[in-house]
């Protein structure tokens, strides 16, 4: 999946003004450093990126062909752009980029074409089936493996090709690499997927599909935003309206109608919210299952604020265990930042409300070293890079590991306790390493028509600029009575967390089904409370997605919430806090608490949910602590 941040509008026509600007831009490129930077930046803002990339070919020695058409086995033609160095000096290795965002306008694809072509690679950037100039019907990612493999056949046949291809890109561009890896094509010898945990389907029991499900709960903000903008099945479908009140649109019911109400054309959103998570039809879409784990050498990059970071790490660890050779050929880098933001956060030094010092890495150098080794036989690749390289937020430090979680972590249980009134931050909830001894439970009412608002966290792509991702202040959320808040004493020494967070809860509900959301929070001495990481679970899936079971009202059950992974240092004198609630809207869809299908329902039931924490069956958050 991908935000719209890197998209640039395609040129509507060759107007006189645009032509003049393009000629001026060409002059700018020709004189290079003689033109002041502000003037160059002004030209870049006025001229479509596609034209700049094309014109840069005169400076950097490559040609661009925007009219390549590649025929698939069923006769469908996919539109592609080919970047070829003018004086290659021999056969060329190829970088292959596929995406659904318009190869003539999308920033990452255009920039990849220029970057790799100027370093002597052939680059093929392709509109996937059913998008923009490509024929056929779009559904992410049906035909992704077969269409990609047919295109690899085409590349290998070209007289300029050395037969070795690497794949590149973030989000959908990365997910499509994992889908293609299932084809095990001999020409596909290396990949570099970023922000691509959305490729995980049922693998590892996650049932995440496109990064849109966690604990069986649909991630509404990203699902709605992405499918509204990009999910039309017909490339000729009318676009969504330019002006839209996203916050109001997300409140609509039923869930299944949200996209069609605004953009009536046939859209994949319908199937993604309707299809049961264990239905075999998901397999036809190409998401990774346990039976088709990728073994191609991979440099995997993700960020702590990405909603798919848990899926990416789970998949990487599964792949690492296949064989020693596969383990040697996989490197995983986890940076601070939101979705597809690893380079930017290193430059800006910011992640949400937090400063992240020393977060930069030589990513572009890594890209070249990786592909030079696998595609050209040059250098040693990234043999000096460890299996896992990860940034510790709050410590401003990169650490290494051979496995995930890292070697040497110890699991600590921090228990929930209270006097029975943990509602809101002014309640009496306590987070402690001691076993609980006070009231046996806390209770809150969850009204789906008045859900707890999302504040930061692994939130992406809603289309609403007000929906901020990453660590942000939670104090307005903590003022609500439908959020249970458990706070530790001030830490007597720093606490470094590195690994997967989990919350074990003993609960009951007045409803047949409801959700539980657990969020770990960093409380600063000045009172700020910024989120660390979070996760959710639909109660019917407490025994696994494969074994759904509705609740009996009032019956006490246990459940384990996967809260994703994180590497984070909480300083001495600061506090830990845990939120327990039943919604985070619009990041997550609202459970309407009826026990029904949820996606096609219009009416909701208020649920009265209890969290128990007695000595016999304590509720706790499990932290992987790295000394």
């Amino acid at each position: 999946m991908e935000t719209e941040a890197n998209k640039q509008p395609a040129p509507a026509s060759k107007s006189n003004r645009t032509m003049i600007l393009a000629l001026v831009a060409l002059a700018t490129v020709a004189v290079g450093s003689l033109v002041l930077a502000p003037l160059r930046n002004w030209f870049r803002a006025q001229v479509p990126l596609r034209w700049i990339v094309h014109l840069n070919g005169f400076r950097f020695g490559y040609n661009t062909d925007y009219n390549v058409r590649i025929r698939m086995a069923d006769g469908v033609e996919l539109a592609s752009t080919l970047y070829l160095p003018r004086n290659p000096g021999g056969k060329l290795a190829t970088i292959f980029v596929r995406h659904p965002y318009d190869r003539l306008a999308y920033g990452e694809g255009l920039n990849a074409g220029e970057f790799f072509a100027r370093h002597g690679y052939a680059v093929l950037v392709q509109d996937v089936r059913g998008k923009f100039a490509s024929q056929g019907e779009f559904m992410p990612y049906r035909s992704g493996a077969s269409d990609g493999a047919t295109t690899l056949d085409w590349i290998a046949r070209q007289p300029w090709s050395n037969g070795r291809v690497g794949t590149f890109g973030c989000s959908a561009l990365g997910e499509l690499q994992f889908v293609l890896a299932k084809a095990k094509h001999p020409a596909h010898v290396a990949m570099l997927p970023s922000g691509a945990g959305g490729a995980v389907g049922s693998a590892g029991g996650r049932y995440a599909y496109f990064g849109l499900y966690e604990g069986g709960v649909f991630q509404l903000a990203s699902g709605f935003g992405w499918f509204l903008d990009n999910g039309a099945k017909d490339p000729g479908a009318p676009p969504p309206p330019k002006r839209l009140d996203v916050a109001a649109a997300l409140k609509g019911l039923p869930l299944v109608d949200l996209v069609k109400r605004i953009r009536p054309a046939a859209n994949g959103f319908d199937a993604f919210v309707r299809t049961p998570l264990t239905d075999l039809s998901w397999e036809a879409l190409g998401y990774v299952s346990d039976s088709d784990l990728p073994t191609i050498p991979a440099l995997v990059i993700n960020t702590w604020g990405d909603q798919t970071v848990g899926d990416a790490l789970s998949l990487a660890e599964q792949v690492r265990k296949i064989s020693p050779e596969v383990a040697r050929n996989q490197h995983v880098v986890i940076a601070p930042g939101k979705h597809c933001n690893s380079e930017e956060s290193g430059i800006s030094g910011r992640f949400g409300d937090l400063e992240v010092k020393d977060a930069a890495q030589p990513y572009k150098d890594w890209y070249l070293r990786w592909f030079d080794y696998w595609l050209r036989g040059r250098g040693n690749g990234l043999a000096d890079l460890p299996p896992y390289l990860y940034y510790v937020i709050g410590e401003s430090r990169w650490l290494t590991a051979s496995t995930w979680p890292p070697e040497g972590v110890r699991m600590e249980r921090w228990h929930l306790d209270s006097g029975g009134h943990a509602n809101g931050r002014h309640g009496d909830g306590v987070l402690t390493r001691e076993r609980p001894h006070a009231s046996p439970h806390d209770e809150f009412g969850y009204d789906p028509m008045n859900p707890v608002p999302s504040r930061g966290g692994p939130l992406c792509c809603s289309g609403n600029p007000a929906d901020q991702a990453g660590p942000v202040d939670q104090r307005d959320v903590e003022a609500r009575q439908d959020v249970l808040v458990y706070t530790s004493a001030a830490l007597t020494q720093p606490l470094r967390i590195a690994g997967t967070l989990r919350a074990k809860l003993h609960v009951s509900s007045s409803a047949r089904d409801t959700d539980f959301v657990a969020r770990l929070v960093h409380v600063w001495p000045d009172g700020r409370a910024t989120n660390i990481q979070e996760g959710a679970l639909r109660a019917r899936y407490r025994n696994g997605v494969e074994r759904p079971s509705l609740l009996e009202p009032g019956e006490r059950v246990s459940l384990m919430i996967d809260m994703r992974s994180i590497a984070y240092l909480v300083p001495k004198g600061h506090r830990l806090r845990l939120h327990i609630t039943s919604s985070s809207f619009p990041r997550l869809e609202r459970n309407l608490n009826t026990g029904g299908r949820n996606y096609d329902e219009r009416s909701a039931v208020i649920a009265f949910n209890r969290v128990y924490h007695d000595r016999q069956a304590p509720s706790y958050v499990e932290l992987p602590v790295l000394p």
Side-chain angles (χ1 to χ4, degrees):
M1 292 167 52
E2 183 57 272
T3 67
E4 297 296 296
N6 292 327
K7 297 185 77 171
Q8 296 251 351
S13 64
K14 296 183 180 179
S15 66
N16 290 337
R17 178 174 177 273
T18 306
M19 287 294 291
I20 292 170
L21 288 170
L23 292 173
V24 175
L26 177 58
T28 301
V29 170
V31 298
S33 61
L34 297 179
V35 178
L36 296 175
L39 188 57
R40 290 202 308 271
N41 293 338
W42 182 84
F43 285 135
R44 284 183 175 275
Q46 300 299 317
V47 178
L49 181 59
R50 167 194 170 189
W51 288 32
I52 294 173
V53 169
H54 182 76
L55 293 169
N56 278 345
F58 292 97
R59 180 184 180 191
F60 296 122
Y62 61 83
N63 296 323
T64 310
D65 183 352
Y66 297 104
N67 299 308
V68 175
R69 310 285 298 184
I70 301 175
R71 186 178 293 273
M72 300 296 105
D74 60 357
V76 165
E77 291 187 350
L78 303 188
S80 308
T81 300
L82 180 63
Y83 301 79
L84 282 180
R86 282 198 292 274
N87 299 300
K91 299 280 189 177
L92 293 169
T94 304
I95 306 300
F96 182 27
V97 178
R98 311 186 72 222
H99 64 76
Y101 303 126
D102 189 358
R103 76 194 195 286
L104 301 183
Y106 187 59
E108 187 180 0
L110 289 163
N111 290 331
E114 176 181 312
F115 175 76
F116 287 110
R118 66 189 285 187
H119 286 91
Y121 285 91
V123 185
L124 188 76
V125 182
Q126 186 175 78
D127 289 336
V128 297
R129 177 181 292 251
K131 300 303 294 183
F132 297 93
S134 287
Q135 299 172 345
E137 181 181 271
F138 175 67
M139 184 68 171
Y141 291 111
R142 183 181 291 129
S143 304
S146 58
D147 287 351
T150 299
T151 305
L152 290 175
D153 288 339
W154 181 90
I155 293 171
R157 290 196 303 269
Q158 302 311 301
W160 43 259
S161 172
N162 74 354
R164 301 175 74 80
V165 181
T167 50
F168 177 82
C170 194
S171 197
L173 293 71
E175 292 157 3
L176 281 158
Q177 296 177 59
F178 281 109
V179 173
L180 176 56
K182 296 171 62 172
K184 301 186 185 302
H185 194 286
H188 190 194
V189 297
M191 59 183 187
L192 208 162
S194 304
V200 174
S202 61
R206 300 190 72 83
Y207 296 94
Y209 305 115
F210 209 23
L212 290 182
Y213 283 93
E214 64 174 278
V217 184
F218 185 70
Q219 300 201 53
L220 175 62
S222 55
F224 170 82
W226 194 91
F227 276 99
L228 180 66
D229 286 342
N230 307 295
K233 294 183 177 182
D234 182 353
K242 293 183 178 180
R243 295 182 180 274
L244 176 66
D245 186 339
V246 174
L250 286 166
K251 294 177 182 177
L253 288 173
L255 169 69
V256 72
D257 290 343
L258 290 189
V259 170
K260 72 174 67 173
R261 189 176 295 130
I262 299 164
R263 193 179 186 191
N267 195 295
F269 182 83
D270 185 87
F272 268 75
V273 298
R274 283 183 181 272
T275 306
L277 295 179
T278 55
D279 194 284
L280 293 178
S281 63
W282 289 107
E283 303 223 354
L285 299 184
Y287 296 100
V288 179
S289 67
D290 289 332
S291 63
D292 50 27
L293 298 174
T295 57
I296 293 172
L299 172 58
V300 177
I301 299 173
N302 212 301
T303 53
W304 291 127
D306 194 303
Q307 69 187 53
T308 72
V309 66
D311 302 315
L313 284 165
S314 173
L315 179 59
E317 193 61 11
Q318 285 182 275
V319 168
R320 188 188 65 81
K321 294 176 181 178
I322 292 174
S323 72
E325 180 182 5
V326 170
R328 282 194 299 271
N329 295 337
Q330 177 181 257
H331 305 276
V332 180
V333 178
I334 310 293
K338 58 185 180 180
H339 181 58
C340 289
N341 194 233
S342 55
E343 293 187 43
E344 291 81 355
S345 62
I347 294 169
S348 69
R350 302 291 301 180
F351 174 33
D353 289 350
L354 301 186
E355 184 178 33
V356 286
K357 297 179 181 179
D358 302 319
Q361 290 287 0
Y363 289 104
K364 287 185 170 57
D365 178 61
W366 285 351
Y367 303 160
L368 292 174
R369 288 176 59 195
W370 182 250
F371 287 131
D372 279 353
Y373 177 75
W374 290 107
L375 306 186
R376 293 165 155 173
R378 301 177 184 173
N380 69 345
L382 295 173
D384 52 340
L385 203 63
Y388 292 90
L389 176 66
Y390 62 97
Y391 183 89
V392 184
I393 299 169
E395 193 172 8
S396 301
R397 181 181 178 190
W398 291 86
L399 296 181
T400 66
S402 298
T403 64
W404 194 260
E407 309 89 333
V409 299
R410 66 173 186 267
M411 305 309 296
E412 289 189 0
R413 293 181 177 180
W414 289 66
H415 297 94
L416 283 58
D417 204 353
S418 78
H421 303 285
N423 308 76
R425 72 173 177 275
H426 298 301
D428 58 11
V430 174
L431 191 63
T432 172
R433 277 177 275 199
E434 304 297 326
R435 276 184 168 262
H437 62 275
S439 175
H441 71 261
D442 293 294
E443 181 173 300
F444 62 95
Y446 158 49
D447 181 357
M449 297 298 102
N450 181 27
V452 176
S454 303
R455 293 288 181 266
L459 194 154
C460 178
C461 320
S462 71
N464 183 0
D467 291 336
Q468 184 181 0
V472 302
D473 201 331
Q474 303 291 309
R475 281 178 287 187
D476 67 328
V477 168
E478 295 174 347
R480 295 175 61 110
Q481 293 298 293
D482 54 357
V483 180
L484 301 182
V485 177
Y486 303 90
T487 308
S488 76
L491 299 179
T492 58
Q493 58 185 8
L495 181 71
R496 183 197 284 143
I497 305 164
T500 304
L501 312 179
R502 292 184 176 88
K504 175 68 176 290
L505 303 180
H506 300 276
V507 302
S508 68
S509 178
S510 63
R512 299 300 310 281
D513 190 33
T514 193
D515 293 347
F516 286 92
V517 177
R519 179 182 302 111
L520 191 66
V521 174
H522 174 185
V523 184
W524 301 70
D526 62 7
R528 283 178 297 147
T530 53
N531 47 302
I532 296 174
Q533 197 56 286
E534 64 187 67
L537 178 65
R538 183 145 292 176
R540 71 174 69 186
Y541 299 127
R542 62 193 180 276
N543 299 318
V545 170
E546 308 91 334
R547 299 180 297 280
S549 177
L550 294 178
L551 299 169
E552 290 295 330
E555 178 189 12
R556 183 165 159 169
V557 300
S558 62
L559 47 83
M560 183 74 82
I561 302 175
D562 183 335
M563 299 170 62
R564 296 181 171 80
S565 284
I566 195 67
Y568 196 103
L569 183 78
V570 184
K572 176 182 177 180
H574 296 221
R575 300 170 188 263
L576 277 177
R577 178 172 286 166
L578 184 71
H579 297 173
I580 301 295
T581 186
S582 287
S583 55
S584 178
F585 185 83
R587 190 177 82 77
L588 303 173
E589 67 161 320
R590 296 163 289 178
N591 194 324
L592 301 180
N593 298 330
T594 67
R597 297 191 299 193
N598 211 68
Y599 64 78
D600 59 358
E601 297 179 307
R602 299 175 183 271
S603 300
V605 174
I606 296 176
F608 294 94
N609 296 334
R610 285 185 176 182
V611 177
Y612 299 88
H613 42 72
D614 53 55
R615 292 184 67 84
Q616 288 71 37
S619 292
Y620 55 85
V621 59
E622 188 175 67
L623 305 182
V625 176
L626 185 63

